[in-house]
């Protein structure tokens, strides 16, 4: 998806990152550039199947909603550090998760283990965390946009409305 492609684009140019493997069910065996044309001539990496994943230091999950939690124990056996870009571990309370996502969490015992955050604001907590859940695009935009206003007491929580339109 878009998130995985953007993450890959950034990591490919990072001097301290080595991309070991990528997975995709629908693009298995194909060049990454088939799914992400902007990476043509940038990488010759191909997609693997999840069953072929090998042990890595850090595993980024860019799965559709509901998929990370279904396979999290498998992923935990593959990587010492997991950074989940889906919404599956963003809330640390099962009741809140069900309220907002309208489904049960398959691994509620793991919700408390994930650190939720945005690197610009939560770098210290995230730096040494084993499990990280990244804020989504709408939340990130909203939080980073409003942060300086709240930090300087220029707005009131109960009088702040954010309306997001996507599409």
């Amino acid at each position: 998806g878009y998130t995985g492609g953007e993450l890959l684009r950034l990591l490919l140019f990072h001097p301290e990152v080595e991309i070991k493997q990528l997975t995709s069910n629908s693009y298995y065996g194909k060049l990454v550039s088939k799914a992400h044309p902007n990476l043509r001539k940038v990488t010759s990496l191909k997609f693997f199947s999840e069953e072929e994943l090998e042990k890595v230091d850090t595993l980024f999950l860019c799965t559709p909603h509901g998929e990370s939690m279904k396979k999290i124990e498998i992923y935990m056996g593959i990587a010492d550090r997991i950074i989940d870009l889906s919404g599956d571990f963003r809330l640390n309370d099962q009741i809140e998760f069900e309220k907002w996502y309208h489904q049960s969490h398959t691994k509620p015992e793991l919700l408390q283990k994930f650190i939720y955050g945005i690197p610009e604001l939560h770098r210290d907590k995230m730096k040494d965390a084993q499990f990280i859940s990244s804020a989504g695009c709408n939340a990130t935009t909203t939080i980073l946009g409003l942060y300086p206003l709240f930090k300087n007491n220029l707005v009131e929580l109960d009088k702040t409305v954010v309306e997001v339109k996507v599409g």
Side-chain angles (χ1 to χ4, degrees), residues 116-118 120 134-145:
Y116 170 83
I118 300 168
E120 292 84 351
S134 177
C137 56
N138 293 332
T140 299
T141 301
T142 302
I143 292 167
L144 290 178

Side-chain angles (χ1 to χ4, degrees), residues 46 89-90 105-106 144 146 158:
K46 291 184 177 182
F89 292 95
R90 287 182 182 151
H105 202 286
T106 61
L144 290 178
L146 291 175
D158 61 343

Side-chain angles (χ1 to χ4, degrees), residues 5-160:
E6 272 302 291
L7 173 64
L8 178 59
R9 183 185 64 77
L10 293 169
L11 293 178
L12 282 168
F13 293 101
H14 195 291
E16 296 180 34
V17 173
E18 175 191 354
I19 306 294
K20 188 170 181 179
Q21 55 205 343
L22 305 158
T23 66
S24 171
N25 294 331
S26 55
Y27 287 99
Y28 168 72
K30 295 181 177 146
L31 289 170
V32 169
S33 59
K34 182 79 173 166
H36 305 287
N38 62 314
L39 298 177
R40 195 177 307 121
K41 297 183 183 179
V42 175
T43 183
S44 59
L45 288 168
K46 291 184 177 182
F47 287 108
F48 289 81
S49 70
E50 281 189 332
E51 292 76 28
E52 296 173 300
L53 281 174
E54 298 174 5
K55 185 103 171 113
V56 292
D57 297 324
T58 302
L59 181 65
F60 287 90
L61 304 177
C62 303
T63 60
H65 177 67
E67 294 301 311
S68 291
M69 67 176 142
K70 289 178 188 173
K71 300 177 183 177
I72 192 65
E73 288 173 331
I74 294 168
Y75 300 141
M76 290 167 79
I78 294 170
D80 297 325
R81 177 178 236 199
I82 294 174
I83 301 174
D84 188 12
L85 302 183
S86 80
D88 289 6
F89 292 95
R90 287 182 182 151
L91 300 173
N92 62 10
D93 179 88
Q94 182 178 0
I95 294 169
E96 286 296 309
F97 180 89
E98 291 174 5
K99 174 184 171 184
W100 292 103
Y101 288 99
H102 308 290
Q103 71 179 86
S104 297
H105 202 286
T106 61
K107 296 292 176 197
E109 68 278 9
L110 297 177
L111 290 172
Q112 294 283 329
K113 293 186 182 264
F114 277 78
I115 300 295
Y116 170 83
I118 300 168
E120 292 84 351
L121 302 179
H122 308 107
R123 186 172 308 278
D124 289 340
K125 282 185 184 177
M126 298 170 95
K127 184 171 47 174
D128 297 318
Q130 184 178 8
F131 305 116
I132 297 170
S133 181
S134 177
C137 56
N138 293 332
T140 299
T141 301
T142 302
I143 292 167
L144 290 178
L146 291 175
Y147 179 76
L149 300 174
F150 277 94
K151 184 178 177 184
N152 292 296
N153 296 313
L154 298 173
V155 292
E156 296 177 41
L157 182 60
D158 61 343
K159 295 182 180 176
T160 304

